[in-house]
Amino acid sequence: MAEQLVTGQQIFETDTRSITIDEVLMYVVEVNDRMAEEFGVDLTSAAAAAIDSTAAATIVRKLGLSGRAYLKDVNGKTYVILKGLAGKRADLTGTRYLSTNPKVAKLAIGSKNLLKGAARMTGIAIIAYSGLRVVEHLLSDGDQRLTQLFGTIASDIVKFAIAAGAGFLVGAAVGTITTIAAGPVIAAVIVGIGISILLDRVDRKYGLTETLVRAIEDTVDSFESPFRKLSRYINAWEEHFVQQAINNTMRFR
Amino acid sequence: MSRNVSILVLTIFALLGFWIAFWGFSDIRSAIGEMQMCREKVIFDHSSFWFLSLATLPLFLLLVIVPDRLHYVVLILIVLAAVVLPFAGLFALEADADGQGYTFAEPLTVWALIENSGVPANDCVRR
């Protein structure tokens, strides 16, 4: 039997139905759009807020709300020093752990870990926003320009990075003045979410994304004009040479 | 980050927090004012509720002056205030909207960061 090769179509088979990858992508974009429309928060921002809040909750669960911890460098190795009564802690019964120890490695303690977390979340946001916007662009019915796509992605990423940066700054500042382990993460979450809501409102009120898209379009158009002029010259030359060739052929007949 | 730089950063964000919270507060106050005047259409952005949460940013400066053993109390206070303030704003606005018989296009809630608009009932009385 001859094999039928089908390209560009990936199908997920379940017991009851089969779904194409296009449908899955459409579904994700639709969920994102519905969330943005109804709650004003898109999928990426919601996921980021949930991940940050989970980090804060993990610290509180493992060390308690009044649990104290700080990082200390000894002989080139970084240790997480836990203060307070060890017996009150369920998992972390010791008082000193190497920072790479799996028991404490995932706890966001210290400004370095906060920075790492903010950078990682921004990286995830770049991928998520780009993916979502590209799929939205590809599946949209309207004739959207690429500049619209780039402008929207740039705006989303810049807003996210500003919120994450502000969260990190305040988190690191709080980490300097208190040894309460959950303090910096709580500060980072409150500021991150707050600044994100503020930027979203400012964007909606003053149309920053639209302004950015227009600016990119104007820049691209100003680049486009000389190229169009050049292509007109090339066309004219081409026509001239073709005409000359025809004339020469006619003359030698 | 040194202690002085940390205090400077927290002071800057405290001022920013004040300003954003004031923005949210004045939005809610002007919406309530418009409803009391029975304006034909009241436009309100739900994000103003969450702006009130940022009034907690100045509280982080308390960590500088409060003794170390009480820092967890300050943090509990901050988290509680950050959660309670938006709901307080919602209840204040909702109470007035109900009192004046305003109907909003979308239900008033803290969980949607959208622009909403409300129209008064026919028997709306100016206060």
Side-chain angles (χ1 to χ4, degrees):
Chain A
M1 198 176 86
E3 262 185 37
Q4 194 187 359
L5 187 67
V6 181
T7 57
Q9 191 82 309
Q10 176 69 49
I11 299 173
F12 299 106
E13 294 280 358
T14 68
D15 291 343
T16 51
R17 62 181 292 200
S18 58
I19 314 161
T20 64
I21 200 157
D22 294 5
E23 285 173 326
V24 175
L25 292 174
M26 277 286 264
Y27 188 69
V28 174
V29 169
E30 219 167 274
V31 168
N32 185 57
D33 285 352
R34 284 285 290 276
M35 274 183 73
E37 213 171 276
E38 287 185 24
F39 302 111
V41 179
D42 56 30
L43 214 52
T44 315
S45 302
I51 291 170
D52 286 347
S53 306
T54 309
T58 307
I59 292 178
V60 172
R61 202 181 64 241
K62 289 204 168 184
L63 302 173
L65 194 60
S66 58
R68 295 168 188 281
Y70 59 91
L71 297 178
K72 193 174 181 182
D73 288 323
V74 181
N75 297 330
K77 287 179 179 171
T78 308
Y79 289 91
V80 176
I81 311 293
L82 304 178
K83 306 287 280 180
L85 293 171
K88 277 189 174 178
R89 297 190 291 266
D91 292 340
L92 303 166
T93 46
T95 54
R96 195 176 73 157
Y97 292 89
L98 204 60
S99 62
T100 50
N101 188 317
K103 278 188 173 180
V104 292
K106 289 202 170 172
L107 296 180
I109 293 169
S111 57
K112 269 185 197 166
N113 282 333
L114 270 183
L115 181 62
K116 243 190 255 173
R120 197 181 57 226
M121 283 313 300
T122 309
I124 292 171
I126 290 172
I127 295 166
Y129 278 127
S130 308
L132 278 168
R133 296 296 183 196
V134 167
V135 170
E136 208 174 50
H137 180 81
L138 292 175
L139 300 177
S140 69
D141 297 329
D143 186 23
Q144 278 189 344
R145 288 182 68 176
L146 267 180
T147 46
Q148 169 89 30
L149 173 68
F150 290 136
T152 318
I153 292 175
S155 163
D156 286 342
I157 291 170
V158 167
K159 280 192 287 183
F160 191 94
I162 290 173
F168 160 71
L169 256 183
V170 176
V174 167
T176 313
I177 53 175
T178 184
T179 51
I180 297 274
V185 190
I186 289 173
V189 170
I190 292 176
V191 172
I193 293 175
I195 297 294
S196 163
I197 292 172
L198 171 74
L199 292 175
D200 182 65
R201 170 81 177 269
V202 170
D203 187 12
R204 267 186 291 134
K205 189 169 182 184
Y206 298 105
L208 297 186
T209 303
E210 284 79 27
T211 311
L212 178 66
V213 169
R214 265 202 307 277
I216 295 175
E217 274 175 3
D218 289 346
T219 311
V220 169
D221 287 346
S222 69
F223 275 124
E224 217 168 40
S225 308
F227 285 121
R228 276 194 188 147
K229 209 181 268 180
L230 185 65
S231 94
R232 253 202 326 273
Y233 283 134
I234 292 171
N235 272 343
W237 287 335
E238 196 184 343
E239 274 173 25
H240 172 73
F241 287 130
V242 169
Q243 197 57 48
Q244 214 170 28
I246 292 170
N247 289 346
N248 287 341
T249 315
M250 298 292 276
R251 204 185 312 153
F252 288 114
R253 252 189 198 174
Chain B
M1 198 184 281
S2 74
R3 194 176 165 83
N4 286 340
V5 175
S6 299
I7 294 171
L8 179 70
V9 168
L10 289 181
T11 308
I12 292 168
F13 274 92
L15 292 172
L16 184 71
F18 256 135
W19 172 68
I20 300 168
F22 181 74
W23 183 0
F25 176 73
S26 59
D27 264 5
I28 294 170
R29 203 181 55 177
S30 71
I32 289 175
E34 283 178 20
M35 284 194 288
Q36 287 178 347
M37 298 279 286
C38 294
R39 283 275 156 79
E40 250 178 62
K41 193 177 185 183
V42 174
I43 294 172
F44 178 76
D45 199 304
H46 288 200
S47 55
S48 300
F49 294 135
W50 288 103
F51 284 180
L52 298 179
S53 283
L54 293 176
T56 57
L57 293 192
L59 295 180
F60 281 107
L61 280 170
L62 280 178
L63 294 171
V64 180
I65 47 173
V66 164
D68 218 33
R69 65 194 156 79
L70 292 175
H71 279 186
Y72 79 98
V73 179
V74 175
L75 286 171
I76 291 174
L77 195 76
I78 289 171
V79 173
L80 281 179
V83 175
V84 167
L85 282 172
F87 285 95
L90 171 70
F91 289 137
L93 193 73
E94 239 176 7
D96 238 88
D98 289 344
Q100 294 293 85
Y102 266 80
T103 313
F104 278 84
E106 298 290 333
L108 287 170
T109 170
V110 294
W111 302 118
L113 305 173
I114 50 168
E115 199 177 78
N116 204 350
S117 61
V119 287
N122 291 332
D123 57 349
C124 181
V125 182
R126 278 182 160 203
R127 278 198 249 164

